[in-house]
Amino acid sequence: MKAKLARTAFEYGVITVATLLLVVGVYFFKFPNNFSFGGVTGIAVVLSAMSKASASSYTFIINMALLVLGFLFLGKSFGAKTVYVSVLTSVGLSALEKLFPMSAPLTTEPVLELIFAIFLPALSAAILFNIGASGGGTDIIAMILKKYTSVPIGTALFLVDCVIVISSCFVFDIQTGLFSLTGLLAKSLVIDNVIESINRCKVFLIVCDDPDPICEFIYRDLKRSATVYKAHGAFTHNQKMIIMSVMKRGQAVQLRNFVKRYQPGAFIAIVNSSEIIGKGFRGLN
């Protein structure tokens, strides 16, 4: 029970940090520049320009409305983490609006601000996805579409984002619209790269004569496992042993240095892997 509570507390701590990154990126860099890419906050930017209400207020209203729709259409399958992220995002944006009112962008460099407007929310989305949480907002619409229709979710959400970006060209100007289009295209690439970076592991294939010291180091010091199997040298015709093991990046450096120090004649192949599924990594923990 204590372990489960500790894990839950850790997950919600990570979710809170990721959501705050989203809030900072949206409020300080996206809203002041009228960048209109990305779901609810993109809609809020366009709507705020057409009325007297702020983008933070529209984000709060739309998120709360989507939460209601989620409860109505999804019921118990509507995750607590999604509710938490939606509420924290809405409350966080409203709080920043009260604490740090902004009438203009932070800098006079829109490209620099676009980078932060893309990177911070994308980093947040990648962290949330990696921990199994949803960012709320249009993700709720995706859940409803997935449950009740056969509409391709990715295509539908991308088309909605495109409509928002196109509308920003008319509500604001062509420059803002092009910046928003750039943000829309770059966001998914950043998310994919961040997720891959977070999950990147090193796969070791070590060809050696004596696997026992290496395996003992892997078990005892790195707290990982390994698979050992016999091999036959094609040129020398000598019997060899191959150790296969998967490490996090920090552990990979330790293992590489250990093998080089104690078995300098060993052959080491190190391969990057962006996804490992199994005990001790992902999916079967």
Side-chain angles (χ1 to χ4, degrees):
M1 181 63 71
K2 289 182 179 180
K4 185 176 181 180
L5 289 175
R7 180 174 179 81
T8 301
F10 173 77
E11 287 183 348
Y12 274 89
V14 173
I15 291 171
T16 300
V17 172
T19 305
L20 293 179
L21 285 175
L22 168 66
V23 169
V24 169
V26 168
Y27 183 78
F28 288 108
F29 300 104
K30 188 174 183 178
F31 284 173
N33 292 281
N34 297 319
F35 297 144
S36 307
F37 58 89
V40 170
T41 55
I43 298 172
V45 169
V46 174
L47 291 178
S48 67
M50 301 169 62
S51 64
K52 295 181 179 180
S54 67
S56 297
S57 299
Y58 274 116
T59 301
F60 187 92
I61 293 169
I62 296 172
N63 272 337
M64 294 306 104
L66 289 174
L67 283 179
V68 172
L69 288 176
F71 282 116
L72 289 176
F73 288 97
L74 300 174
K76 293 182 179 180
S77 63
F78 192 53
K81 293 177 182 177
T82 301
V83 176
Y84 179 73
V85 172
S86 295
V87 172
L88 184 59
T89 300
S90 302
V91 172
L93 289 172
S94 299
L96 286 181
E97 186 179 21
K98 300 293 183 182
L99 296 173
F100 304 101
M102 297 184 66
S103 57
L106 285 175
T107 72
T108 57
E109 298 292 336
V111 175
L112 178 63
E113 302 218 2
L114 177 64
I115 292 172
F116 280 92
I118 295 170
F119 179 74
L120 290 177
L123 176 60
S124 170
I127 294 172
L128 290 173
F129 177 82
N130 197 59
I131 205 169
S134 165
T138 50
D139 289 348
I140 298 173
I141 299 175
M143 295 178 194
I144 296 173
L145 288 174
K146 183 178 180 180
K147 183 174 182 179
Y148 291 100
T149 72
S150 58
V151 175
I153 296 171
T155 303
L157 294 181
F158 182 76
L159 289 176
V160 171
D161 285 338
C162 286
V163 171
I164 297 169
V165 169
I166 293 171
S167 65
S168 70
C169 295
F170 297 96
V171 175
F172 302 109
D173 52 46
I174 294 297
Q175 177 176 295
T176 302
L178 291 176
F179 273 129
S180 298
L181 178 60
T182 302
L184 176 62
L185 297 175
K187 182 181 176 183
S188 60
L189 297 177
V190 175
I191 291 175
D192 290 342
N193 286 330
V194 171
I195 291 174
E196 183 175 336
S197 178
I198 291 173
N199 292 323
R200 186 172 294 148
C201 295
K202 302 289 186 178
V203 179
F204 276 77
L205 291 174
I206 305 170
V207 182
C208 62
D209 296 315
D210 183 12
D212 292 338
I214 299 174
C215 290
E216 185 178 353
F217 178 76
I218 293 172
Y219 303 150
R220 187 188 68 245
D221 295 85
L222 301 181
K223 304 297 189 264
R224 291 295 179 186
S225 185
T227 300
V228 180
Y229 47 97
K230 295 179 180 180
H232 188 78
F235 180 73
T236 63
H237 302 291
N238 293 332
Q239 181 173 301
K240 295 287 185 179
M241 304 299 289
I242 297 179
I243 304 169
M244 186 187 75
S245 187
V246 181
M247 304 281 147
K248 296 293 185 180
R249 283 175 290 184
Q251 297 171 321
V253 174
Q254 298 178 58
L255 179 58
R256 183 190 63 193
N257 293 340
F258 179 86
V259 176
K260 288 175 66 177
R261 184 181 301 115
Y262 293 100
Q263 291 203 36
F267 179 84
I268 309 172
I270 305 174
V271 182
N272 286 326
S273 176
S274 61
E275 186 172 11
I276 301 294
I277 299 174
K279 186 176 181 180
F281 288 92
R282 187 185 181 95
L284 297 178
N285 293 325

